[in-house]
Amino acid sequence: MRADPANPRWAASLLTAGAALVLGYFAFVEERRVPLFGWVDLGVHELGHLLFMAAPDLVTAMMGNGLQTLMPLFACLGFALGRGDWPAAGFCLAWAGTTLQDASVYIADAQLQALPLLFGGGTHDWGYILGPQQFDALDRAGEIAASVHDAGVVVLVLGLCVCLGPALARQLAPESLEAT
């Protein structure tokens, strides 16, 4: 039997793929923030604004969702390139996909600005970014949000594939390589 459930790489591959599916379920099926990760994402979002406060207002506004997505992508690169841990890299990639879905909800709200903000009376990032003082594209918020949502699905699926890479490699490996 090629698939060895006792092999830790096989098990890690399957476990992280399952965890990535759970992330995807909350984000894309239930269309809500992933429990626990949603709070981390919110903190990183606000950190993005804080770190870029000295930048122009447009950059400061964009770096909320920007850092929220970049953080799991950097973690993905760290696990993949630094440790060769493909299941962990895939999980982080899937997480990045859920941050894009979260951003798409915020982008879609740019016209109405009905979502509650963390700080009452604050600026709606995407209302400002897509508003007349910047890109003047509030009428395209739904279209932009749909594209970001679709990109999130693609990134989530790529993450799932990366998670499953070690398991699939083990399954597809020739019998002669299994002895090593």
Side-chain angles (χ1 to χ4, degrees), residues 5 19 21 26 31 37 45 69 76 99 107 123 133 151 159 162 180:
L21 286 173
F26 282 108
E31 294 186 342
F37 282 85
H45 178 105
T69 299
C76 170
T99 68
I107 295 167
T123 302
Q133 63 274 47
V162 172
T180 60

Side-chain angles (χ1 to χ4, degrees), residues 80-178:
L81 302 177
R83 298 184 55 183
D85 188 341
W86 294 102
F91 179 80
C92 290
L93 194 56
W95 178 11
T98 69
T99 68
L100 290 169
Q101 191 282 336
D102 190 57
S104 75
V105 172
Y106 200 9
I107 295 167
D109 186 57
Q111 269 188 313
L112 295 177
Q113 298 185 26
L115 289 175
L117 299 177
L118 185 61
F119 303 106
T123 302
H124 187 291
D125 297 341
W126 288 98
Y128 173 73
I129 294 165
L130 298 176
Q133 63 274 47
Q134 295 303 326
F135 290 108
D136 197 20
L138 280 172
D139 58 326
R140 297 186 56 215
E143 178 185 333
I144 294 166
S147 295
V148 171
H149 179 275
D150 293 347
V153 171
V154 169
V155 172
L156 177 89
V157 170
L158 286 172
L160 183 61
C161 292
V162 172
C163 285
L164 289 172
L168 293 174
R170 176 89 175 141
Q171 182 68 23
L172 300 174
E175 295 289 333
S176 61
L177 293 178
E178 287 188 29

Side-chain angles (χ1 to χ4, degrees), residues 58-78:
L58 177 62
V59 174
T60 303
M62 293 179 85
M63 285 313 295
N65 284 117
L67 189 61
Q68 183 180 341
T69 299
L70 286 171
M71 189 201 54
L73 290 176
F74 287 147
C76 170
L77 287 174

